[in-house]
Amino acid sequence: MHVVMGEIKKDVYKKDGTGAKGPWYMYAIELSEVVKDRDGEKHYANYRATFFATERQKPYYDQWLQKGKIVAVSCEKLRIEQREGNDGRIFVSLQME
């Protein structure tokens, strides 16, 4: 099991829609972890977690998943996600599943 705790420093990405079971709401947050090695060099690990809520759960997620809140997220698996930035740099994050 993987557990990451940190402050949500970016705005939460939100999306909503309607499916066979009614309305749904998606929340995606990004967390990062900084570790210093013995030489004092910093190493970063970026994480992304996605949550889905029903209409009944939406007020809870709206309250806790927002910029500035400190959260702890656990998952069973991590998946590597890569994307290229506008400047050509490759950004790697670990998708919490």
Side-chain angles (χ1 to χ4, degrees):
M1 176 171 291
H2 305 278
V3 179
V4 178
M5 183 175 172
E7 180 180 351
I8 301 173
K9 293 188 177 184
K10 293 183 178 180
D11 289 327
V12 176
Y13 177 79
K14 298 179 183 179
K15 187 176 179 179
D16 58 63
T18 304
K21 296 181 180 180
W24 54 266
Y25 305 91
M26 183 192 85
Y27 301 83
I29 63 170
E30 294 181 12
L31 300 171
S32 63
E33 186 175 56
V34 180
V35 178
K36 281 188 182 179
D37 63 18
R38 291 182 181 173
D39 299 327
E41 188 177 340
K42 290 182 180 179
H43 300 276
Y44 296 89
N46 298 308
Y47 297 89
R48 183 176 169 92
T50 306
F51 304 89
F52 289 91
T54 63
E55 195 161 15
R56 187 172 173 199
Q57 297 165 325
K58 186 179 183 308
Y60 176 83
Y61 283 91
D62 285 339
Q63 178 184 357
W64 290 105
L65 295 180
Q66 54 183 287
K67 188 176 177 178
K69 293 285 188 171
I70 295 175
V71 297
V73 181
S74 65
C75 69
E76 292 292 327
K77 294 181 190 177
L78 295 173
R79 180 174 42 89
I80 297 172
E81 214 173 68
Q82 294 185 24
R83 65 178 174 83
E84 187 174 337
N86 293 337
D87 58 359
R89 291 190 301 167
I90 301 295
F91 293 93
V92 178
S93 62
L94 299 170
Q95 176 68 35
M96 301 180 82
E97 295 186 352

